[in-house]
Amino acid sequence: MTTTAVINIASLVTNDPSLGNGTPLGLIRDAAVVIEGDRVVWTGESSKAPATDNAVDAGGRAVIPGFVDSHSHLLFAGDRTEEFNARMSGVPYTAGGIRTTVAATRAASDDELAANVSRYLAEAVRQGTTTFETKSGYGLTVEDEARALRIAADHTEEVTYLGAHVVPPDYADDPAGYVALVTGPMLDACAPYARWIDVFCEKGAFDGDQARAILTAGRAKGLHPRIHANQLGHGPGVQLAVELDAASADHCTHLTDADVDALGQGDTVATLLPGAEFSTRATWPDARRILDAGATVALSTDCNPGSSFTSSMPFCIALAVRDMGMTPDEALWSATAGGAAALRRTDIGGITPGTRADLVLLDAPSHVHLAYRPGVPLVSAVWQRGQRVL
């Protein structure tokens, strides 16, 4: 395998606190990175870089790990522009809007769904995302959920079964029957394509007892839990996530002191999704409160057609710094290493020997520009699995 060095890096974010300046970002000044195959094999000061077959001059710009988007909903069809327009005109968001996308997704062909995933994935890569998780949840029949996951598995290894998104209209009078379907035939059909199981634990969707039954059934099939928790109001989702050792409790907007303490003491990552609050004019999660409790925080886009139609991790970083009490360093760490933790991965989210060679070259001298210059397209090059894809 040939080796490639990225040299003349003004600031390199490794996310290894044993390197560089000793902070969680492990920032190395005047740095270089050596890639061999799909792995990073060396990081350090440029003057100490080993000889390589090829070299790429970073031109005094910053290099950061590829973003890890650990929460998205890309298997869908249709458009909810009218709903967004109405909401921005004063109509509040409710979980019921999901059913609009369900109808469009059921009517779409496999090719149409695959084309949508490819489109949004390419859009995300252009903005520096090199790993993404995505979910089903817009089919809500055995056949439609299974095909969504089958299509997703062609694009990412981080696939989540979300049959428990909402109770579909055809089961409106029999929610217990739908839970039985989700934990029975639908789970059997979907488990072969998924790594994770998720549930929307919220008023208007699934309560704590239903969520527990669904996640427990998935775990028995070898799927690891994650959960939509405490987005629209206080509820049992966060406590249930910690109890079941869920990899991530996602949203975490409305938290009690007990919820925050549980996150601080457990291994469940609090994944914050500021695009949802931006797009619904909802209360911002208090990231500072969660971080100060010692919890691990991830940032993600929640890319979906209803409540957060963005694939931009840089945008979410800027929102987290501006409106959620995070520092630029914390926001970047959460969008990279934090996302990796939410997926229980150690091979991504950093730039150290042995990690996957997912690198982003910014058209800026520092990662701080991601928040300092919001909305500016700063991603100038992307390496994914050692291959330059942008």
Side-chain angles (χ1 to χ4, degrees):
M1 290 185 288
T2 59
T3 54
T4 299
V6 184
I7 60 172
N8 195 18
I9 300 170
S11 62
L12 170 67
V13 174
T14 68
N15 284 337
D16 183 344
S18 71
L19 300 176
N21 64 357
T23 68
L25 291 188
L27 196 67
I28 303 176
R29 306 287 183 183
D30 189 19
V33 177
V34 176
I35 300 168
E36 183 175 4
D38 66 351
R39 297 286 151 174
V40 172
V41 295
W42 186 90
T43 59
E45 297 176 6
S46 272
S47 61
K48 300 176 182 177
T52 57
D53 300 310
N54 305 296
V56 176
D57 190 340
R61 292 174 286 179
V63 170
I64 63 173
F67 297 122
V68 180
D69 191 347
S70 60
H71 181 127
S72 73
H73 303 252
L74 302 185
L75 267 298
F76 70 89
D79 181 273
R80 281 157 67 181
T81 303
E82 292 184 5
E83 177 189 325
F84 175 80
N85 190 36
R87 187 165 63 242
M88 293 298 102
S89 302
V91 180
Y93 166 72
T94 67
I98 294 169
R99 295 179 178 89
T100 303
T101 301
V102 169
T105 302
R106 288 178 177 179
S109 68
D110 288 10
D111 287 345
E112 288 170 330
L113 293 179
N116 279 348
V117 174
S118 296
R119 170 189 170 193
Y120 298 123
L121 175 58
E123 184 179 275
V125 168
R126 290 196 299 271
Q127 297 171 91
T129 298
T130 53
T131 301
F132 79 103
E133 176 271 359
T134 200
K135 311 175 193 296
S136 63
Y138 292 124
L140 308 186
T141 66
V142 172
E143 179 182 356
D144 286 307
E145 287 294 291
R147 73 167 178 146
L149 296 176
R150 184 179 67 250
I151 292 167
D154 289 336
H155 295 83
T156 179
E157 64 268 46
E158 301 296 346
V159 178
T160 301
Y161 166 47
L162 182 60
H165 203 176
V166 294
V167 176
D170 30 327
Y171 278 86
D173 296 327
D174 186 19
Y178 186 66
V179 171
L181 181 70
V182 167
T183 57
M186 189 183 287
L187 175 60
D188 291 341
C190 290
Y193 304 107
R195 182 183 178 202
W196 307 97
I197 185 166
D198 199 343
V199 58
F200 189 13
C201 183
E202 199 74 55
K203 185 177 180 180
F206 299 89
D207 64 25
D209 290 339
Q210 292 169 325
R212 183 192 305 278
I214 290 163
L215 296 179
T216 301
R219 193 164 58 180
K221 283 285 188 178
L223 306 183
H224 201 86
R226 40 198 332 108
I227 187 169
H228 285 60
N230 301 58
Q231 176 188 5
L232 305 179
H234 295 289
V238 165
Q239 298 280 347
L240 182 61
V242 175
E243 175 193 332
L244 297 180
D245 187 35
S248 180
D250 297 29
H251 289 288
C252 295
T253 308
H254 299 275
L255 301 180
T256 64
D257 288 345
D259 293 332
V260 175
D261 289 344
L263 289 168
Q265 295 169 16
D267 295 326
T268 297
V269 173
T271 298
L272 307 183
L273 309 167
E277 279 70 41
F278 176 87
S279 297
T280 61
R281 290 178 177 160
T283 301
W284 295 100
D286 188 349
R288 182 82 273 130
R289 181 185 178 204
I290 301 170
L291 287 164
D292 288 348
T296 300
V297 170
L299 283 179
S300 190
T301 64
D302 191 20
C303 187
N304 76 82
S307 62
S308 184
F309 204 4
T310 179
S311 59
S312 175
M313 291 289 277
F315 175 63
C316 291
I317 287 172
L319 291 179
V321 171
R322 167 62 178 81
D323 292 302
M324 288 166 42
M326 301 183 83
T327 68
D329 284 13
E330 289 168 338
L332 177 62
W333 190 94
S334 296
T336 52
L343 297 174
R344 298 207 165 162
R345 298 275 296 272
T346 58
D347 61 325
I348 56 176
I351 303 176
T352 56
T355 59
R356 202 168 76 181
D358 295 342
L359 283 66
V360 174
L361 176 64
L362 298 178
D363 191 14
S366 167
H367 66 279
V368 177
H369 281 235
L370 291 166
Y372 180 44
R373 304 195 68 206
V376 177
L378 296 177
V379 174
S380 62
V382 177
W383 286 262
Q384 190 175 32
R385 300 177 185 269
Q387 298 296 313
R388 190 165 179 171
V389 294
L390 178 70

